[in-house]
Amino acid sequence: MGDILELGDFSKEDHKRVGQSIDSSIDEVLTYGEESKYILDGLTDNFAGKSKHFINQEELIDDLKQELDENTIVLFKASRGIKLEEVVNQLV
């Protein structure tokens, strides 16, 4: 998950709320960008050791490449300005 750029003054709180909405059906949460780090603040203790934050896109790609296999499902969500499609293109 990446930054949601349109949140303005509510960015920190709303990113944290996103984290609070993630349930145990998700195995791991990776975030990318400046504000998305607050998503991790909203996660439950179930995600201890199963969440990471990245500010460098290449590091995110490298981490994902190490973890992916043919059975892995990855969901990407962020504002268009974060350019997560570049990550997808590197993984495909």
Side-chain angles (χ1 to χ4, degrees):
M1 300 187 76
D3 291 358
I4 305 166
L5 299 175
E6 299 81 12
L7 297 175
D9 293 339
F10 302 101
S11 183
K12 181 177 179 178
E13 297 83 17
D14 285 347
H15 279 92
K16 185 175 179 178
R17 265 190 228 122
V18 169
Q20 291 168 340
S21 71
I22 299 172
D23 66 26
S24 62
S25 66
I26 304 296
D27 294 325
E28 185 174 10
V29 176
L30 305 179
T31 58
Y32 167 70
E34 295 296 322
E35 295 293 304
S36 63
K37 64 186 171 197
Y38 299 115
I39 292 171
L40 303 183
D41 292 343
L43 296 174
T44 65
D45 291 339
N46 296 336
F47 288 97
K50 299 190 290 184
S51 61
K52 298 177 195 170
H53 179 71
F54 298 87
I55 56 171
N56 179 290
Q57 198 174 77
E58 289 302 318
E59 290 177 10
L60 170 61
I61 292 166
D62 291 343
D63 188 84
L64 281 167
K65 283 182 177 179
Q66 292 176 29
E67 295 190 33
L68 297 179
D69 64 30
E70 62 276 359
N71 296 314
T72 304
I73 297 171
V74 180
L75 305 174
F76 290 89
K77 179 63 180 142
S79 289
R80 179 70 180 81
I82 295 299
K83 300 180 182 178
L84 278 182
E85 73 276 3
E86 295 174 7
V87 175
V88 174
N89 291 337
Q90 292 294 317
L91 298 174
V92 175

